[in-house]
Amino acid sequence: MKYILAFLLICISTMVYTQEIQGEGIEVVEFNAPFSPTKCEFLEALEDCETLRIDIFANTAAQKEHKIVVVPSVVVFNDGVEVARFQANIMMVLEVTQDEIQDAISEAIMNGF
């Protein structure tokens, strides 16, 4: 019975993951965890993209698939393909600026032409 329950939980977490990241257009995803003292404060202010926050404790499938080993990490996707990754330093502080991520978004858009 334990194994059936564990299997169902894995299936559900995988289904939730696939519903979150759309894989179309430019998406910027912040991968984080509840114990992290920081987050990307300007994520919603980014332009020309969809944004999403994923808790890697609640969504281990996403953490494994995208090989998230540092939190917070901000990943820019173009049609589901990773085009840029920004990771926190050893103190779990994300040192990237809004302009740097916006530049990565603009570059991904320009590469699409």
Side-chain angles (χ1 to χ4, degrees), residues 21 27-31 43 52-54 73-77:
I21 295 179
E27 294 178 291
V28 180
V29 181
E30 178 194 38
F31 295 91
L43 187 69
L52 179 65
R53 293 182 194 274
I54 294 181
S73 289
V74 176
V75 181
V76 180
F77 294 94

Side-chain angles (χ1 to χ4, degrees), residues 5 8 15 28 32 41 53 69 75 78-79 86 94 101 108:
L5 183 58
L8 288 174
M15 288 179 356
V28 180
N32 213 333
E41 298 293 338
R53 293 182 194 274
V69 294
V75 181
N78 187 2
D79 293 332
F86 306 93
L94 195 59
I101 296 177

Side-chain angles (χ1 to χ4, degrees), residues 2 13 15 22 27 39 55 57 74-77 79 99 103 106:
K2 289 190 307 186
S13 69
M15 288 179 356
Q22 300 299 313
E27 294 178 291
K39 67 177 191 171
D55 178 346
F57 272 13
V74 176
V75 181
V76 180
F77 294 94
D79 293 332
D99 288 338
D103 287 346
S106 297

Side-chain angles (χ1 to χ4, degrees), residues 20-71:
E20 290 181 18
I21 295 179
Q22 300 299 313
E24 296 177 7
I26 307 294
E27 294 178 291
V28 180
V29 181
E30 178 194 38
F31 295 91
N32 213 333
F35 61 82
S36 175
T38 60
K39 67 177 191 171
C40 183
E41 298 293 338
F42 53 80
L43 187 69
E44 289 82 13
L46 295 170
E47 298 176 351
D48 302 320
C49 66
E50 296 292 323
T51 60
L52 179 65
R53 293 182 194 274
I54 294 181
D55 178 346
I56 64 169
F57 272 13
N59 194 335
T60 57
Q63 183 263 330
K64 289 177 185 174
E65 173 154 348
H66 298 289
K67 298 175 177 73
I68 304 300
V69 294
V70 177
V71 291

Side-chain angles (χ1 to χ4, degrees), residues 73-94:
S73 289
V74 176
V75 181
V76 180
F77 294 94
N78 187 2
D79 293 332
V81 177
E82 181 178 328
V83 295
R85 181 180 291 231
F86 306 93
Q87 297 179 327
N89 62 22
I90 195 165
M91 299 300 292
M92 298 176 74
V93 175
L94 195 59

